[in-house]
């Protein structure tokens, strides 16, 4: 369960901004994100809201991530694994082991859910085109 005692808003901010700095520098993920995110500040703010809600229970996040992700062409399991690797590298630097454990667990759930939804949508779309 999310709890305000798990971490501070500053730690959530550090997680999100540190992680996306890694993503943007990554030679594989960086170009994908840069192609689809025109203005990084609103995206980062939305991701801070998401992770604050997931970790601290703030319930500020408003959005539907699945449609945005299923619309992306060419996603693979390897890209999600790379995303998780960068995320885990980031959480390891925060100095808050309970937050790291919870955030990593949630990141795996998010990645699994998005990858499952992506494959289901792509399969249904492909079958509808046949």
């Amino acid at each position: 369960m999310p709890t305000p005692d798990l971490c501070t808003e500053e730690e959530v901010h550090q997680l999100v901004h540190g992680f996306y700095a890694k993503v943007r520098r990554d030679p594989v993920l960086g170009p994908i994100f840069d192609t689809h995110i025109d203005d990084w500040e609103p995206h980062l703010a939305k991701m801070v809201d998401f992770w604050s809600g997931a970790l601290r229970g703030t319930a500020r996040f408003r959005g539907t991530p699945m449609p945005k992700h299923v619309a992306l062409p060419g996603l693979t399991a390897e890209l999600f694994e790379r995303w998780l690797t960068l995320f885990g590298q980031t959480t390891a630097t925060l100095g808050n082991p309970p937050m790291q454990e919870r955030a990593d667990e949630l990141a795996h759930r998010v990645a699994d859910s998005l990858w499952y939804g992506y494959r289901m949508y792509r399969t249904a779309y492909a079958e509808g085109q046949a």
Side-chain angles (χ1 to χ4, degrees), residues 59-70:
R60 294 189 312 251
F61 177 76
R62 299 288 179 264
T64 52
M66 188 64 73
K68 292 179 182 188
H69 288 83
V70 299

Side-chain angles (χ1 to χ4, degrees), residues 46-102:
K46 186 170 275 216
M47 293 299 93
V48 167
D49 286 348
F50 173 82
W51 285 103
S52 179
L55 297 169
R56 303 187 76 241
T58 57
R60 294 189 312 251
F61 177 76
R62 299 288 179 264
T64 52
M66 188 64 73
K68 292 179 182 188
H69 288 83
V70 299
L72 300 173
L75 296 186
T76 64
E78 292 77 19
L79 293 173
F80 281 94
E81 284 300 319
R82 191 172 189 99
W83 183 91
L84 285 168
T85 297
L86 295 178
F87 193 89
Q89 290 171 357
T90 306
T91 60
T93 68
L94 298 176
N96 181 337
M99 177 189 180
Q100 176 184 1
E101 181 179 346
R102 182 70 177 139

Side-chain angles (χ1 to χ4, degrees), residues 66 69-72 75 80 111-129:
M66 188 64 73
H69 288 83
V70 299
L72 300 173
L75 296 186
F80 281 94
D112 288 347
S113 176
L114 290 174
W115 178 232
Y116 178 80
Y118 185 83
R119 288 180 297 151
M120 294 303 293
Y121 174 82
R122 292 294 172 158
T123 299
Y125 180 78
E127 288 173 0
Q129 296 297 312

